Amino acid sequence: MGRGRSRRAQRAPCPPGRRRAIIAVDPLPSARGRALAFGAHYALDPAAPDFADQVRAATTGKGLDFAFDCAGVPAVREQAASVLGLGGSLILVGISPRPLTITEGLTFNYLQKQVRGHYGGFPDSVTELVQPAAAGRLDLAPSITDHIPLADAADAVNRLENKIGYRLRLILVP
């Protein structure tokens, strides 16, 4: 992804016969690169001035069927809701104590958009993630920030609480 004025979306070919592309959105170029490596067809910068136009181009003008907010940040939710297409759903994965506000009034109703909550902390959710990883169909290694000895768990908690590092996903090793 280039810097400066050129903020074109990174693209990977959409498989033949697939109706919709997978579009990743992240402010960090490294995260967009990881998304493409994991199979996204487009990786967009949410700060790009033409972000909504890029989404429309990637969806042939239809907008998103689904947008997953994993950040739990009101601005992310608002931006995601604004690029949903007819009957599109905003899935709230990121948990936030802040109230949910939808400022898009008439268009939200007219296009029959939806907001749904998701909580992935159930035992079945863990199994759904572990099974493909154990079978070699899902490589989670690029998403892991660090492996920390169990004896240093207090350091791991400190890193999480104080957000020391980028997108912390720590593994405690016994």
Side-chain angles (χ1 to χ4, degrees), residues 100-116:
L100 173 63
T101 304
I102 301 194
T103 59
E104 182 186 35
L106 178 63
T107 307
F108 194 90
N109 290 356
Y110 180 74
L111 292 178
Q112 302 171 26
K113 297 178 181 180
Q114 303 174 38
V115 177
R116 298 179 178 186

Side-chain angles (χ1 to χ4, degrees), residues 12 14 39 54 56 115 169:
C14 188
Q54 290 181 34
R56 278 191 288 279
V115 177
R169 293 177 185 98

Side-chain angles (χ1 to χ4, degrees), residues 84-169:
L84 289 172
L86 178 65
S89 295
L90 171 59
I91 312 298
L92 305 178
V93 179
I95 298 173
S96 171
R98 296 180 216 137
L100 173 63
T101 304
I102 301 194
T103 59
E104 182 186 35
L106 178 63
T107 307
F108 194 90
N109 290 356
Y110 180 74
L111 292 178
Q112 302 171 26
K113 297 178 181 180
Q114 303 174 38
V115 177
R116 298 179 178 186
H118 173 76
Y119 182 71
F122 298 111
D124 288 349
S125 301
V126 174
T127 302
E128 287 176 13
L129 186 62
V130 170
Q131 285 177 339
R137 294 189 324 262
L138 178 63
D139 181 12
L140 297 173
S143 296
I144 298 169
T145 309
D146 204 355
H147 292 80
I148 299 175
L150 187 56
D152 296 333
D155 178 51
V157 171
N158 180 55
R159 288 173 64 180
L160 292 169
E161 285 179 337
N162 296 300
K163 298 184 181 184
I164 300 169
Y166 166 72
R167 299 227 173 143
L168 296 171
R169 293 177 185 98

